[in-house]
């Protein structure tokens, strides 16, 4: 690959020895003008006219040096009669408006395109004869590739074989695919065996008083002689077996080893013999892909869950149906049937189902249909669980909730009904518990969809009118008892209303009586000796 | 039941007029709408007295003080303006609503002005002091507050969330009556015992304010899109309401049956209807910019 560099002019290489790839940059352009005298540093344009006008140097010559107008100034063009020239088109062409800079910009942005022959473009590169006949111009990409050593025709795609070793179908180890265990640890072990054991070096960690730097630490020390190290890392690789054996070590105590007669025969996975005191117990032969029989189901046991009714049949009816209503029937009817089956299988009577509920199913559905959660603290999640438990008939979810929370959620659910009229019209509120609504229903006429006017009975909650408001209404400020109200506890003000002092005098009188302190004792307490 | 159109007043711009009110004597009519101009008219002759211009957005509601010297207006510019009738100047401007103000109402003394807004809050402003902020803000509504009425020591606010909330100041309680449809307007009886509630549906309802029961329903109107107000006549025998099919409907209040259905001149929708405080007239305003004065006669 480096041969191509020879093609590059040697003179370039000599000047830029650091540049291995790519085209070297000409550095002269980047050198700044610190060494130039002042007069050479002035900025000039292409015609060597001074670019910055006199204001920069202290004089006044605005306008002229920017080449607007003429030396005399902005003199308007003299008037010329157009009586005889009527009818002629007097207009400004684009060239009149543009100045030097605009013309430069125009030139720069001009795009030159070649008239390429379409036939020539379609010549494939792999045909050598045609390639010779075709045009010689190369693209930048090709140029760069050639710089890197491409021969111009081959594109070799390496196969997976190049990267991965052949794996057997069964894998008996716990490392990933293609893992090659690092062999340095094995080499180190061998090295360790060779080394003579030094007398125990107990002091690892220098004492406080010992200064490391003062010892003869020669920074130019070459270190341990190189002959000790391996020249390459994987020199031992040839010794490793191609099929690694599984080496699981179990500790075998000396006693048992002496007693029984197992031969510590096999080697471990890495080919080395098992460590002292350990025995290799697994080998590939012992591991089989064995299926163990499932546990026996005791007689008479019935599952709580029904297997879904023949999914094939309902799927087929779904696919057969031609329009949305049929399909929805096929989908949702079967769902409903499943739910019913579940209910019966779990042996709950309707009264049982209702017993654990705190709010009824309709209320829960309504409350859940509203997307917003009235709580914005940790109760939000619990409220959702509360509603879902009611809808999905899972009382177990509520066992962890405190009863205070449950009653609060019940109140909230009854308050937070769906706002959309359509939704509320689809579900009717549970009748029978409210005679007031019954009256309302009987009054309405001709309203097939409208079953009730009021969605729930009147709710009463606390209101804390401002004192000024009470004054304006000529009403004494109400005393509000703290009854269990359906308002959310987050809305309740933290200060109780009647606890607030009504007038300034009251507040003064409310102050706790000061302990009577004699002036003498006070003096002593502050200034006296302790 | 005879209902006759006795006066027709047309505005040039033909913009919808959103509100019309009689003053306490019934001699004058104040109307205002999308053309941002408040007009004072003589109710008997229909003569144009003067105009009040300051709003930059449409005007949604008006309320006149009992002695007819001042009135309050509110609208899309989120402010509540208090005007002096004779000079025509804005005396005060209350503003901290975040959205269009739909309704304003004075209390009996005209010391407190309540305003309800699309931002779901009811703000109570003090007219006696110079404070710029509200005395109290009522947050209970979950949607736009469309109507407010004040009787004695209760503030009643109706909202498009379907709830009618009665704030009892004396007892420190809120009574919430939940309707299944958005509430557009409320007209309380002179006794304060019951109120006519208009909802965005085919009927208006008479609600017992003490118990929360529905006393009567008056069906037959078409109302799904606009705020159409309804009222009781001065003797509280009839219920009068507009309808989106361009008719004015009258019902017998106690019986609940529809007595009459009058088409408006160009079948325009009647956005506000208000009854004369003492005589058997009522004024209706349309989305065509007309003020229509009717006289009814139960023969």
């Amino acid at each position: 690959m480096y041969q191509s560099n020879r093609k590059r002019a040697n003179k370039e290489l000599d000047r830029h020895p650091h540049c291995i790839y790519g085209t070297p940059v000409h550095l002269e352009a980047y050198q700044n003008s610190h060494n130039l005298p002042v007069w050479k540093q002035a900025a000039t344009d292409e015609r060597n006219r001074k670019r910055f006008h006199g204001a920069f140097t202290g004089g006044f010559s605005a306008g002229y040096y920017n080449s607007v107008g003429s030396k005399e100034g902005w003199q308007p063009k003299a008037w010329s009669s157009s009586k005889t020239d009527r009818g002629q088109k007097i207009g400004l062409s684009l060239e009149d408006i543009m100045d030097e800079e605009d013309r430069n910009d125009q030139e720069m942005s001009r795009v030159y395109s070649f008239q390429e022959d379409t036939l020539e473009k379609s010549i494939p590169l792999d045909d050598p004869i045609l390639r010779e006949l075709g045009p010689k111009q190369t693209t930048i990409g090709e140029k760069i590739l050639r710089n890197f050593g491409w021969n111009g025709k081959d594109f070799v795609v390496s196969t997976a074989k190049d990267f991965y070793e052949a794996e057997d179908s069964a894998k008996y180890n716990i490392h990933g695919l293609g893992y090659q265990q690092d062999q340095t640890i094995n080499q180190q072990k061998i090295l360790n065996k060779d080394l003579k054991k030094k007398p125990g070096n107990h002091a690892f960690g220098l004492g406080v008083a010992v200064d490391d730097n003062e010892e003869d630490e020669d920074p130019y020390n070459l270190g341990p002689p190189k002959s000790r190290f391996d020249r390459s890392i994987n020199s031992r690789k040839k010794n490793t077996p191609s099929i690694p054996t599984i080496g699981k070590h179990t500790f075998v105590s000396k006693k048992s080893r002496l007693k029984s007669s197992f031969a510590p025969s096999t080697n471990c996975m890495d080919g080395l013999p098992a460590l002292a005191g350990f025995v290799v117990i697994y080998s590939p032969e012992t591991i089989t892909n064995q299926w163990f029989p499932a546990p026996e189901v005791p007689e008479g046991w019935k599952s709580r869950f029904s297997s879904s009714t023949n999914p094939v049949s309902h799927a087929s009816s779904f696919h057969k149906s031609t329009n949305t209503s049929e399909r929805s029937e096929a989908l949702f009817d079967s769902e409903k049937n499943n739910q019913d089956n579940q209910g019966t299988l779990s042996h709950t009577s309707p009264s049982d189902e209702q017993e654990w509920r705190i709010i009824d199913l309709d209320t829960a559905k309504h409350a859940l249909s509203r997307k917003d959660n009235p709580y914005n603290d940790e109760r939000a999640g619990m409220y959702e669980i509360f509603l879902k438990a009611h809808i999905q008939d899972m009382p177990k979810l509520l066992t962890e909730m405190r009863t205070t929370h449950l009653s609060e959620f019940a109140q909230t659910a009854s308050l937070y009904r769906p706002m959309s009229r359509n939704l509320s019209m689809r579900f009717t509120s549970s009748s029978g518990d409210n005679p007031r609504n019954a009256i309302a229903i009987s009054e309405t006429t001709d309203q097939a969809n409208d079953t009730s006017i009021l969605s729930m009975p009147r709710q009463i909650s606390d209101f804390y009118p401002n004192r000024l408001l009470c004054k304006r209404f000529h009403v004494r400020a109400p005393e509000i008892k703290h009854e269990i109200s359906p308002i959310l506890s987050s809305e309740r003000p933290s200060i109780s209303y009647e606890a607030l002092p009504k007038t300034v005098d009251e507040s003064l009188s409310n102050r706790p009586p000061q302990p009577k302190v004699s002036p003498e004792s006070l003096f002593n307490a502050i200034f006296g000796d302790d | 039941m005879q209902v006759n159109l006795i006066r027709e007043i047309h505005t040039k711009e033909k913009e919808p007029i959103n509100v019309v009110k009689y003053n306490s004597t019934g001699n004058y009519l104040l109307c205002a709408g999308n053309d941002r101009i408040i007009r004072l008219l003589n109710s008997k002759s229909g003569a144009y007295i003067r105009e009040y211009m300051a709003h930059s957005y449409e005007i949604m509601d008006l309320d006149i003080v009992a002695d007819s010297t001042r009135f309050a207006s509110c609208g899309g510019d989120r402010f509540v303006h208090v005007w002096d009738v004779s000079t025509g100047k804005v005396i005060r401007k209350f503003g901290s609503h975040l959205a269009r103000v739909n309704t304003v109402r004075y209390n009996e003394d005209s010391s407190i002005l309540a305003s309800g807004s699309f931002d779901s809050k009811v703000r109570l402003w003090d007219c006696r002091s110079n404070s710029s902020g509200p005395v109290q803000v009522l947050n209970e509504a979950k949607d736009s507050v469309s109507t407010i009425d004040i009787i004695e020591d209760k503030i009643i606010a109706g909202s498009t969330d379907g709830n009618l909330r009665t704030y009892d100041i004396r007892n420190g309680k809120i009574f919430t009556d939940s309707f299944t449809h958005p509430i557009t307007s409320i007209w309380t009886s002179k006794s304060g015992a019951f109120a006519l509630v208009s909802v965005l549906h085919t009927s208006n309802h008479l609600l017992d304010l003490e118990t929360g029961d529905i006393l009567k329903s008056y069906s037959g109107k078409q109302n799904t899109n606009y705020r159409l107000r309804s009222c009781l006549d001065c003797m509280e025998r009839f219920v009068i309401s507009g309808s989106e099919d361009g008719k004015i409907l009258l019902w017998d209040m106690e019986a609940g049956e529809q007595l009459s259905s009058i088409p408006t001149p160009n079948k325009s929708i009647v956005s506000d209807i208000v009854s004369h405080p003492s005589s058997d007239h009522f004024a209706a305003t349309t989305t065509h910019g007309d003020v229509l004065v009717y006289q009814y006669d139960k023969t």
Side-chain angles (χ1 to χ4, degrees):
Chain A
M1 189 157 75
Y2 294 90
Q3 300 129 351
S4 60
N5 286 348
R6 286 193 218 131
K7 287 187 200 163
R8 263 197 308 163
N10 281 323
K11 59 172 163 50
E12 286 241 5
L13 262 180
D14 293 336
R15 280 192 9 205
H16 303 274
H18 52 277
C19 181
I20 307 167
Y21 300 117
T23 322
V25 159
H26 299 286
L27 288 172
E28 294 86 27
Y30 292 89
Q31 282 156 6
N32 46 22
S33 53
H34 283 317
N35 309 319
L36 294 172
V38 178
W39 60 272
K40 254 199 186 171
Q41 284 185 38
T44 55
D45 61 7
E46 70 281 353
R47 272 204 246 154
N48 287 344
R49 290 178 292 188
K50 286 226 174 92
R51 278 303 292 134
F52 294 106
H53 56 75
F56 286 90
T57 56
F60 172 76
S61 54
Y64 176 44
Y65 289 109
N66 285 340
S67 68
V68 173
S70 63
K71 191 176 178 183
E72 290 76 32
W74 297 334
Q75 192 123 28
K77 222 166 64 169
W79 177 82
S80 57
S81 161
S82 67
K83 188 175 166 189
T84 49
D85 299 332
R86 274 205 206 137
Q88 287 180 15
K89 266 197 185 162
I90 306 167
L92 285 174
S93 65
L94 198 60
E95 300 296 313
D96 290 340
I97 303 172
M98 290 186 354
D99 66 357
E100 286 284 351
E101 287 176 9
D102 292 334
R103 274 189 268 268
N104 289 341
D105 285 339
Q106 194 189 44
E107 265 192 47
M108 287 213 300
S109 59
R110 205 173 293 170
V111 177
Y112 296 95
S113 60
F114 295 107
Q115 259 294 344
E116 285 176 338
D117 198 345
T118 48
L119 181 61
E120 290 177 343
K121 252 202 259 190
S122 63
I123 293 171
L125 276 174
D126 15 311
D127 191 329
I129 296 170
L130 283 176
R131 225 184 319 121
E132 295 305 308
L133 294 176
K136 287 293 175 187
Q137 59 201 12
T138 50
T139 56
I140 294 290
E142 285 171 318
K143 215 160 80 171
I144 291 173
L145 280 173
R146 271 181 226 282
N147 246 347
F148 281 120
W150 181 45
N151 59 3
K153 51 180 174 38
D154 295 323
F155 287 108
V156 177
V157 178
S158 52
T159 57
K161 282 187 290 197
D162 300 340
F163 295 109
Y164 297 110
E165 290 177 7
E167 292 280 355
D168 290 316
S169 51
K171 187 172 160 302
Y172 304 112
N173 44 40
I174 56 169
H175 57 65
L177 288 172
Y179 174 73
Q180 285 168 7
Q181 195 183 43
D182 186 35
Q183 302 305 322
T184 48
I185 187 87
N186 305 319
Q187 296 150 24
Q188 193 58 36
K189 280 190 212 149
I190 294 164
L191 282 174
N192 285 341
K193 283 188 200 159
D194 294 344
L195 285 172
K196 281 185 194 164
K197 275 194 176 171
K198 278 187 192 166
N201 202 5
H202 299 292
F204 59 93
L206 299 163
V208 178
V210 181
D211 193 357
D212 193 22
N213 286 332
E214 281 177 28
E215 286 181 292
D216 50 339
E217 208 178 83
D218 184 8
Y220 301 105
N221 191 8
L222 290 171
K226 277 187 188 172
S227 55
R228 285 275 191 80
F229 295 109
D230 276 344
R231 296 210 178 253
S232 65
I233 294 174
N234 290 321
S235 60
R236 295 267 169 198
K237 198 175 177 180
K238 297 166 198 162
N239 290 339
T240 58
S242 52
I243 298 169
T245 52
I246 299 196
K248 265 218 169 176
H249 296 228
T250 15
F251 182 72
V252 178
S253 64
K254 237 184 187 172
K255 262 202 272 180
S256 59
R257 206 176 6 132
L258 290 171
K259 271 189 201 167
S260 57
S261 57
F262 18 81
S265 54
T266 51
N267 288 341
C268 298
M269 217 177 71
D270 51 10
L272 295 171
L275 297 178
F278 287 87
V279 155
V280 178
I281 56 167
Y282 284 132
S283 55
E285 300 86 55
T286 57
I287 292 186
T288 54
N289 222 1
Q290 203 181 10
W291 280 97
F292 297 98
E296 282 179 29
V297 179
E299 276 198 36
W301 179 82
K302 275 192 206 158
S303 163
R304 252 196 308 146
F305 306 103
S306 65
S307 62
S308 61
T309 55
N310 218 341
V312 185
S313 63
H314 111 77
S316 67
S317 71
F318 179 80
H319 288 299
K320 263 194 256 165
S321 60
T322 48
N323 58 7
T324 43
S325 52
E326 272 181 44
R327 280 200 289 268
S328 75
E329 267 178 41
L331 269 179
F332 296 119
D333 267 1
S334 56
E335 232 180 51
K336 208 168 56 171
N337 287 334
N338 274 348
Q339 276 179 1
D340 289 343
N341 289 342
Q342 245 183 315
T344 54
L345 277 173
S346 58
H347 299 293
T348 53
S349 55
S351 60
D352 284 343
E353 220 181 270
Q354 205 53 32
E355 241 174 40
W356 64 270
R357 284 176 199 270
I358 301 163
I359 52 172
D360 54 350
L361 186 60
D362 280 344
T363 318
K365 277 191 197 155
H366 291 204
L368 196 60
S369 70
R370 282 185 61 147
K371 296 297 172 193
D372 58 328
N373 199 313
Y375 298 101
N376 36 18
D377 54 11
E378 63 274 3
R379 289 172 294 180
M382 288 170 61
Y383 180 61
E384 239 191 83
I385 293 172
F386 173 81
L387 292 177
K388 283 186 182 161
H390 276 84
I391 290 171
Q392 292 163 16
D393 196 12
M394 300 204 289
K396 287 191 189 149
L397 291 175
L398 301 179
T399 50
E400 289 171 10
M401 285 197 212
R402 284 190 264 160
T403 45
T404 48
H405 280 154
L406 291 176
S407 55
E408 200 191 309
F409 292 152
Q411 292 280 10
T412 317
S414 58
L415 265 181
Y416 281 86
R417 309 282 289 179
M419 292 201 289
S420 122
R421 162 169 55 106
N422 293 325
L423 200 60
S424 61
M425 287 208 301
R426 243 186 267 151
F427 305 108
T428 58
S429 54
S430 54
S431 56
D433 56 348
N434 204 341
R436 288 194 205 125
N437 279 345
I439 298 171
I441 290 166
S442 65
E443 292 297 340
T444 60
T445 54
D446 303 341
Q447 282 155 26
N449 295 333
D450 198 11
T451 50
S452 59
I453 298 163
L454 291 172
S455 57
M456 62 175 131
R458 174 174 269 207
Q459 309 244 311
I460 303 175
S461 48
D462 285 342
F463 170 51
Y464 303 94
N466 193 313
R467 217 154 351 123
L468 180 59
L469 190 70
C470 298
K471 190 171 147 203
R472 292 275 178 261
F473 276 86
H474 309 293
V475 154
R476 208 186 308 169
E479 288 171 16
I480 298 150
K481 294 171 207 138
H482 285 289
E483 50 195 42
I484 303 164
S485 56
I487 57 168
L488 303 173
S489 49
S490 55
E491 280 178 24
R492 214 176 285 146
S494 49
I495 312 165
S496 77
Y497 198 78
E498 51 264 29
L500 291 173
K502 302 270 184 289
T503 59
V504 179
D505 295 330
E506 261 182 63
S507 66
L508 280 175
S509 62
N510 278 350
R511 229 194 294 156
Q514 308 268 351
K516 289 199 170 74
V517 180
S518 68
E520 202 180 50
S521 62
L522 184 63
F523 179 79
N524 282 334
I526 298 170
F527 297 106
D529 311 314
D530 236 325
Chain B
M1 184 81 198
Q2 278 271 8
V3 183
N4 304 314
L5 180 64
I6 56 170
R7 192 83 45 216
E8 250 186 88
I9 302 131
H10 303 282
T11 56
K12 255 191 305 168
E13 293 83 2
K14 298 212 183 314
E15 294 269 352
I17 301 182
N18 296 322
V19 59
V20 66
K21 285 266 152 59
Y22 275 102
N23 74 329
S24 49
T25 61
N27 295 330
Y28 300 102
L29 276 171
L30 253 189
C31 62
N34 284 8
D35 57 0
R36 311 187 296 268
I37 305 171
I38 305 167
R39 293 185 168 86
L40 182 63
L41 315 164
N42 182 304
S43 61
K44 288 200 182 72
S45 61
Y48 220 62
I49 304 175
R50 70 171 299 161
E51 287 176 350
Y52 301 88
M53 287 192 277
H55 277 277
S56 42
Y57 284 80
E58 75 279 7
I59 300 165
M60 299 302 293
D61 202 4
L62 299 166
D63 196 29
I64 313 176
V65 167
D67 62 0
S68 307
T69 53
R70 289 165 295 155
F71 67 90
S73 64
C74 70
D77 60 2
R78 300 171 287 124
F79 286 97
V80 176
H81 298 246
V82 180
W83 304 76
D84 181 274
V85 169
S86 39
T87 62
K89 288 201 170 43
V90 178
I91 309 171
R92 284 196 75 168
K93 220 166 124 169
F94 297 109
S96 57
H97 276 295
L98 302 171
R100 178 188 79 221
V101 187
N102 290 322
T103 176
V104 273
R105 195 56 72 115
Y106 275 107
N107 66 344
E108 271 177 71
D109 272 355
S110 52
S111 54
I112 289 279
L113 182 60
S115 61
S117 159
F118 182 76
D119 69 0
S120 79
K121 309 272 184 280
V122 174
R123 274 170 228 260
L124 302 167
W125 309 93
D126 185 21
C127 303
R128 295 266 165 83
S129 65
N130 264 334
S131 55
S132 55
V135 169
Q136 193 157 3
V137 178
L138 308 174
N139 294 320
E140 282 75 18
K142 299 286 167 283
D143 202 348
S144 167
V145 175
S146 51
T147 178
I148 294 180
D149 206 350
I150 306 185
I151 27 165
E152 289 178 11
D153 50 6
K154 294 190 186 54
I155 301 172
I156 307 173
S159 161
T160 50
D161 66 3
N163 289 322
L164 192 76
R165 291 177 180 89
T166 307
Y167 296 85
D168 188 336
I169 299 174
R170 189 182 294 277
N171 297 316
K173 292 265 177 279
I174 309 175
F175 303 103
T176 309
D177 298 301
S178 308
F179 286 79
T180 47
H181 299 287
I183 297 173
T184 53
S185 88
I186 176 172
W187 180 284
T188 47
S189 69
K190 290 186 182 157
S191 59
F194 53 91
L196 178 71
V197 180
S198 327
V199 292
L200 210 63
H201 196 59
T202 53
S203 50
N204 300 320
H205 308 286
L206 203 65
L207 176 78
D208 184 335
L209 287 173
E210 271 142 42
T211 59
D213 296 329
I214 302 281
L215 299 166
K216 216 50 159 191
S217 290
Y218 313 95
S219 55
K221 72 163 180 179
Q222 254 184 42
N223 188 358
T224 46
N225 295 323
Y226 302 106
R227 174 176 81 173
L228 302 183
R229 297 206 248 221
S230 52
C231 67
L232 299 169
D233 72 318
C234 61
M235 304 300 286
E236 293 177 1
R237 293 164 301 169
F238 309 117
V239 172
I240 316 166
S241 167
S243 172
E244 273 164 17
D245 51 7
K247 295 202 179 72
I248 298 175
L249 307 166
L250 270 95
W251 293 267
D252 185 310
M253 193 184 87
E254 277 165 26
E257 41 162 314
Q258 195 173 342
L259 297 172
S260 175
S261 147
I262 312 127
T264 52
N266 32 18
K267 283 219 148 195
S268 49
I269 302 169
V270 170
S271 46
D272 198 2
I273 276 197
V274 65
S275 59
H276 194 283
S278 43
S279 69
D280 44 1
H281 296 163
F282 65 85
T285 59
T286 68
T287 51
H288 254 256
D290 308 318
V291 180
L292 312 162
V293 184
Y294 289 85
Q295 181 171 26
Y296 56 89
D297 202 5
K298 176 87 187 236
T299 47

